[in-house]
Every structure is written in structure tokens, then in C-alpha cells.
Amino acid sequence: MKKKAIMLNVGAIVVATGFRRFDLGQVKEYGYGRFVDVVSQMELARILAVNGPTKGKLLRPSDHKPPGRIVMIQCVGSRDEKVGNSYCSKICCMVALKHAAFIREHYPACEIVISYTDMRTTGFFEDYYRHAQNLGVVFIRGRAAEVVEDDGILLVRMEDTLSGEQIEIESDMVVLSEGLEASDGTIEVAGILGLSQREGGFIKEEHPKLRPVETDKKGIYVCGCAKGPKDITESVLEANTASARAFEYITGEVTLETGGVLMPSAQNGFHTLQISV
């Protein structure tokens, strides 16, 4: 199909342009793209998927053998001013815990080590954090310095910031938890519509508490990862809110849970409550 522009007259706009994954090749010290067995969390998800390249079997990309130890490195492309992203990508900890717990449950012979800056598992996700600990996942606080290869073995060099000890961990696979960035579409749309942006190019809301899906342009709303990193649940909630606010803006009415409709009155700008009985 040929690309073409379609002109539409609309009453409101909801910006839901998603995100893009951080380019792991920017962090040269971790060897992504140089070492076959250094993969991203998304690539690990494909390996573990039943319709993936290994039919759901946990195998190393290099020799298709089961790994005895996997080291996961958190905050790659997040909370790192060297790559320009000082913000937290919010979902990376839970993605790593999900994959680590799955591997420990289905491949108990495989050891999982997670190198983290801070584990951020808010709310009931804290229970999932404890679940991973109970499954034997090893957590080491400290940002990994580099990943090198020695005779086919990957070596993860880092400092344990709790003990102050410099350590080197042998690993069969290294999994990098890539951060989230504003998508090209988000940056482009923000420029076209003249919307305010925050760090990383994400679209800024009018007020984080009082107007969480409204922008500084009347009739334009934003939701999901166009605003910033967030999980599926939060994205769905924001999408519901944004669509409801757009409907209210277009129609000038608010549907109440009681079945009533709050509509603007033609007199004095007051509202008339019409109840269906």
C-alpha cells in the first residue's frame, strides 16, 4: 500500500503512541551484539515462548545447550545519565522477576543471579519479589561494570555495593533488562501538536494527580507509555480515563454510575442532572 495523508475533522485527540526499547548496542561494555549469549529480556521471552525459536526450551543461542547459570543485569538504558536516561523504566524489575521465577520453576538446575541497582516492586508486586527469593533467585546489589568472554565463558564484573567487594561471576548467558524510551511517533506527534514534553521526549500531563491524562492543549489527551514508562494495567486504566475525558469534551455530558447524565445547561452555564427512571 502507498502511504497517503487523510484529513479528518475531529473533536478530540488521544495520544497513545507507545514506546520503543532502548538500543542495547549503546552500552558497549556489556557486549550486546558481540557475544551471542548476551541477550535482551525480550529475546529471552521469545526463547521461553512455546512458539519461539527453541519451542519453549531454555537453550543458549551459541550452542543450543541448557545454561547452568544466567546473570540478569538491570537498569540497562535506565537511571544512567551516560546514555541520557536518568529516569526509571518502571517495569524492568518485574519483567526480570517474571522470567527468573519461570526459569527456576521449570528449570531448577539453572541458577539465576540478578544484578540490580534497586529492586522496585510496588504494591502487591512485593509478594512476587519474595516469591522469586523463595525460589532461590540470587540478588546482588550493584551495577555491573562490564561483561567479557574467556574461553567461551561469560564473566560479569561488578561491585557488590552492600559488601564493597569487587566480584566476577561466571555465566552461561547474560540477560540485559533494557529500558523504555519515548517512541519516534510520540516525539513526532508532540512536535506537531505543540505538546509539552518531559525528560526523554515523553508527553507531559497537565497535572499528575488532578489531570493525569490531560495535556496543556485543550481537547488533547494522553495515555499509556506516551506519557512515560508503565505496565499494562496502568496503561489500560489511563486509556479508559482518556477516552472518557475525550467523550465528555466532545459531548459536553458526563455519564454517572447511577444511570444519570450530567449535561450542560443553556442557561447561566449551570448543569442539569437528568435521571433515567
Side-chain angles (χ1 to χ4, degrees):
M1 297 176 65
K2 293 183 178 180
K3 184 178 180 179
K4 61 180 180 180
I6 302 176
M7 302 299 294
L8 298 174
N9 292 321
V10 299
I13 296 173
V14 177
V15 181
T17 43
F19 68 93
R20 69 183 176 196
R21 291 183 291 136
F22 174 75
D23 178 11
L24 296 173
Q26 294 185 48
V27 187
K28 305 296 184 183
E29 57 266 32
Y30 292 157
Y32 184 81
R34 289 188 292 120
F35 306 140
V36 179
D37 292 324
V38 176
V39 301
S40 68
Q41 286 286 0
M42 184 65 72
E43 290 166 340
L44 177 62
R46 289 295 301 142
I47 291 174
L48 297 175
V50 293
N51 61 344
T54 61
K55 307 301 181 183
K57 295 181 180 179
L58 180 61
L59 303 175
R60 294 200 309 177
S62 61
D63 56 11
H64 296 280
K65 293 182 179 179
R69 177 184 292 157
I70 296 176
V71 174
M72 297 183 178
I73 301 177
Q74 301 302 104
C75 297
V76 184
S78 303
R79 304 181 66 184
D80 187 353
E81 294 183 356
K82 291 188 299 182
V83 299
N85 297 337
S86 61
Y87 56 85
C88 172
S89 288
K90 202 170 183 177
I91 68 168
C92 312
C93 288
M94 286 309 307
V95 171
L97 289 177
K98 171 188 173 183
H99 291 157
F102 180 88
I103 292 172
R104 289 294 298 165
E105 289 171 348
H106 294 82
Y107 302 92
C110 182
E111 181 182 353
I112 304 293
V113 178
I114 295 182
S115 164
Y116 69 97
T117 306
D118 295 294
M119 292 302 296
R120 294 184 169 180
T121 54
T122 59
F124 67 86
F125 288 132
E126 188 73 13
D127 295 333
Y128 204 68
Y129 182 18
R130 294 193 181 94
H131 175 64
Q133 290 174 317
N134 293 334
L135 289 173
V137 177
V138 178
F139 295 87
I140 301 178
R141 189 178 189 278
R143 187 184 292 271
E146 64 176 343
V147 177
V148 298
E149 191 175 45
D150 183 18
D151 196 24
I153 300 296
L154 295 173
L155 303 176
V156 181
R157 294 170 177 167
M158 60 178 294
E159 177 187 5
D160 185 337
T161 56
L162 297 180
S163 66
E165 181 184 0
Q166 300 290 333
I167 59 177
E168 187 175 82
I169 307 173
E170 293 186 359
S171 180
D172 298 308
M173 283 181 64
V174 172
V175 181
L176 307 179
S177 294
E178 66 268 48
L180 274 58
E181 295 183 322
S183 68
D184 294 337
T186 297
I187 297 173
E188 181 182 4
V189 168
I192 293 173
L193 300 178
L195 302 176
S196 296
Q197 295 170 270
R198 56 164 50 90
E199 179 189 359
F202 296 103
I203 295 174
K204 187 177 181 181
E205 69 280 279
E206 183 70 10
H207 191 284
K209 298 295 184 183
L210 303 179
R211 300 178 184 276
V213 298
E214 298 183 38
T215 68
D216 53 3
K217 301 292 184 181
K218 194 172 183 180
I220 301 179
Y221 306 91
V222 61
C223 65
C225 288
K227 271 180 57 182
K230 51 182 57 71
D231 61 20
I232 294 174
T233 301
E234 191 175 356
S235 296
V236 171
L237 290 173
E238 283 192 351
N240 288 335
T241 304
S243 59
R245 292 292 291 116
F247 176 80
E248 176 188 344
Y249 180 78
I250 293 173
T251 63
E253 65 181 42
V254 180
T255 303
L256 306 179
E257 290 185 0
T258 59
V261 177
L262 188 64
M263 302 185 66
S265 171
Q267 298 180 355
N268 302 323
F270 290 102
H271 293 86
T272 301
L273 181 61
Q274 299 179 349
I275 301 294
S276 301
V277 294

